[in-house]
Structure formats: structure tokens, C-alpha cells
Amino acid sequence: MGSRPFAICDSDVDYIKMLQAYLQKRNPVDFEILTFDTVEKAKRASEENTFAILLVGEKIYDTDVTKINADKVYILQEDGLSGITGYSVVAKYQSMERLIMEILDAFAHDNHCGGTGRCGKNRTSLISCYSPERHSGQSIAALALAQTLADRGDKVLYLNLMPFTGFEEILGTRYESDVTDFMYFVLNHSDKLLYKLDSLKRCVHGVDYLPPALDFADLQHISAKDWGRAMDMLLYSSDYTHIVVDLSETCQGFYHIMEQSDSVYVLTDRASAHSRAMLSHYKKLLETKEQTAVLAHLIEFALPLQWREYVSSLENIAATPIGACMKGVLGIDG
């Protein structure tokens, strides 16, 4: 389907230029960003093509806003003294990231707002990272792999399905929703998948990612069938060239995700007898379950000896020796 108009109407020209630039950089799915400095201009434009979303500055609002054709209208509230009612309200002066997350989340949950209805595009490449011995460097390696692909120019989504990650502390951030909220939502509103994804995703070094689960029990409660459905939707309906899954047995879709993967990168340490035994056990299990496709796509690798020194560098882990290691694993020159 074509782009849907996302309109911003405000008399503060500097503000709408900044918001437009942010949105164009963030590139929310299927939206064309339009700006207007008068309600009349917005009204005339909406007569030709109904807006999917309209943001109206509190200070520019007048009754003609009711004549603008828009699926969803938000008032950009400044002091809340205007007495405007009947519309969703968002604080104008907050971080643009938070503003857009609020808007897209409300849009995704509104049953009166249509979804994207996308299907039939080329399948996204799926990559899984896993360590049979629960190697503590697995997530570091997986994120380095994702960042390395992003540095090459690929559009990458990273999904961490580990029970504990420590990302909030390492990245100095806070998550209000996580990957399980995304899963539960899209399984019931598949046509809104991309809007929910845009409302939740964060970005680190060019890699989009969904906040990891706070409680691993929430991951365990999602059935293997539902994991399969959600992954199929992501693989065939998103704009990503690659999805990198940081996989653990906590996920009931463990085998299904490996089966779907184009490559399964297995972190191990061949210098350790324990690691070799765990890897052997893992492969034997795959053989017993006749997972021949998974075995054919296995790529074993090890991290540099001093990898722990770079754990605090998640914002640009690709620039460390871990990133150099993953370039070699991926076969990327330079």
C-alpha cells in the first residue's frame, strides 16, 4: 500500500521542522510526513487525502479542526489551559522519541484506525545466535553481529530472548514495555504489527531492537505456535533485511526459530572440554529430533579471550575486537 499522511499542524515553525526531521530520520512505517502552519492549509490538504494521523498544536487549535479529515487527531498540549476536549492529548514538550512512541502506541491500539495490510514482500533473512553452555558472551556477540550488519548498510532488527540481559543498566536506559508486550499485541492485531513495532523499538548503533523481557516467565507463556505466527509476520511484513534473534530455551519457539533461520551461529569454546561436551550434546539432540536443516546451517565461533573488557561498550560494540571477530565470522571484509 502507499504512504499514509502523518500531518503536523502548528504555528511554531521551528518545532514542526524539528519534529519533521526527527520523523523522517526515524522513518515510521508507511507514513509520509506533512507539515502545516495553519489549520486552513491542513483542512484543504485533507480534502484530497485523509490523514492517518494529525498532530495539532494547542495554541493553533480552532473549531475548524473538526473539519479536517483524519483517522486520529492528537492535541500537542503546552499548558492545558485551552479546554480542548474530545481528542487524544500528548505533551508537546517532551523528548521526540517519547512523543512518537506515545502517538504510535495509541494509534496501534485504536480499533478505528486501520492497519497496514502488508504481505507478500521478499522474506527477511533470519539469523539466530545461541550457546548450548549458556555462555555469558552470547548477547554481546549477537548484538555485535547485528551492529556489523548495520554498519554494512543492512536494516537490522535485534530480538533478545534471554532470561536476563542487564541492558537497562549497561545502556543507562529504562524500559516501560518489552518484547512480550509486542508479542501479545501482534498476535491479536496482526495488521497493526508495524505500528506497534515502531512504538516500542529502540535503536543502538543503527540496530533497532525491542526491549528484552523483564520477567522471563512472560516469554515462557507464549506458545511455540504463537512464536511461529509472530516470526512469520515479522519475516514477511517488515522492512528489515535481517532479524537477529538472541535465542534461549526460555522461548517455547526455540526449535521453530532455529528451523526458520538461514544461519544459526553457535558460540562455543573448543579449548574447553566442558564446552566441547555441551556442543556435542546439543548436536546429538538436533540429530535425535531430525533437525537436519538446523545442523546444516550451524556456524561455530568463539569470542576473543579478552571479550569481557568490552561489555560496557554496547553502544558501539562493533568497533571493538568483538566486532572484528564477528566480521570474520560473517565473512565481511574490512
Side-chain angles (χ1 to χ4, degrees), residues 15-319:
Y15 177 84
I16 61 177
K17 284 183 178 178
M18 285 193 299
L19 186 53
Q20 182 183 36
Y22 173 79
L23 283 164
Q24 288 173 337
K25 181 179 179 180
R26 182 186 173 103
N27 191 30
V29 65
D30 288 332
F31 287 124
E32 175 189 8
I33 313 304
L34 307 175
T35 60
F36 306 95
D37 56 8
T38 70
V39 171
E40 179 59 29
K41 289 178 183 177
K43 182 170 74 70
R44 288 201 303 268
S46 75
E47 291 170 357
E48 298 181 8
N49 194 5
T50 299
F51 302 150
I53 293 175
L54 170 64
L55 310 185
V56 180
E58 184 178 35
K59 296 296 176 66
I60 202 175
Y61 176 88
D62 64 38
T63 55
D64 279 350
V65 169
T66 61
K67 301 175 184 178
I68 298 176
N69 299 317
D71 294 337
K72 186 78 173 176
V73 179
Y74 301 84
I75 302 300
L76 294 169
Q77 188 178 67
E78 295 187 40
D79 55 30
L81 301 177
S82 59
I84 301 171
T85 59
Y87 297 107
S88 298
V89 175
V90 291
K92 179 177 179 179
Y93 298 117
Q94 60 176 313
S95 75
M96 291 189 177
E97 179 184 51
R98 183 63 204 163
L99 173 70
I100 299 307
M101 286 173 64
E102 283 186 27
I103 289 167
L104 293 179
D105 187 61
F107 186 81
H109 282 86
D110 193 326
N111 291 329
H112 295 98
C113 299
T116 61
R118 276 204 206 171
C119 62
K121 67 172 301 232
N122 293 333
R123 180 185 181 277
T124 298
S125 177
L126 179 62
I127 295 173
S128 288
C129 291
Y130 176 64
S131 172
E133 61 177 300
R134 296 181 176 86
H135 194 298
S136 55
Q138 179 183 321
S139 292
I140 307 300
L143 189 54
L145 185 151
Q147 290 185 10
T148 299
L149 291 171
D151 282 346
R152 190 178 67 175
D154 294 318
K155 189 172 182 183
V156 185
L157 176 66
Y158 167 75
L159 298 179
N160 188 304
L161 304 182
M162 300 293 283
F164 299 100
T165 67
F167 276 15
E168 285 186 310
E169 182 171 341
I170 297 173
L171 293 172
T173 189
R174 184 177 179 182
Y175 304 131
E176 297 177 7
S177 300
D178 62 43
V179 63
T180 59
D181 297 297
F182 172 77
M183 287 289 295
Y184 286 124
F185 178 86
V186 301
L187 290 170
N188 295 300
H189 306 278
S190 60
D191 63 323
K192 299 288 189 72
L193 174 149
L194 299 179
Y195 299 128
K196 187 65 175 178
L197 179 62
D198 271 328
S199 76
L200 279 178
K201 73 181 183 184
R202 302 291 185 93
C203 187
V204 56
H205 192 77
V207 174
D208 288 344
Y209 72 98
L210 293 177
L214 173 63
D215 186 348
F216 66 87
D218 293 336
L219 287 172
Q220 292 175 320
H221 291 156
I222 301 170
S223 70
K225 181 179 179 181
D226 284 344
W227 276 111
R229 285 178 54 208
M231 291 306 299
D232 283 343
M233 285 188 277
L234 278 171
L235 291 170
Y236 288 98
S237 300
S238 74
D239 286 328
Y240 294 102
T241 58
H242 296 78
I243 295 175
V244 176
V245 180
D246 199 350
L247 191 59
S248 82
E249 306 93 313
T250 304
C251 165
Q252 288 195 53
F254 179 72
Y255 291 109
H256 182 81
I257 291 173
M258 284 194 296
E259 283 180 317
Q260 284 187 300
S261 296
D262 299 282
S263 300
V264 179
Y265 290 89
V266 178
L267 176 58
T268 189
D269 179 5
R270 287 203 164 272
S272 163
H274 179 260
S275 294
R276 293 197 302 271
M278 296 284 276
L279 179 62
S280 176
H281 187 164
Y282 168 62
K283 288 181 175 179
K284 184 175 181 180
L285 176 61
L286 292 177
E287 290 171 357
T288 300
K289 289 185 170 292
E290 298 182 347
Q291 297 281 352
T292 55
V294 177
L295 285 165
H297 294 147
L298 285 186
I299 301 170
E300 299 171 29
F301 72 99
L303 286 174
L305 291 176
Q306 307 302 320
W307 68 267
R308 288 179 177 82
E309 296 180 9
Y310 308 101
V311 170
S312 61
S313 304
L314 289 187
E315 294 90 344
N316 191 8
I317 198 73

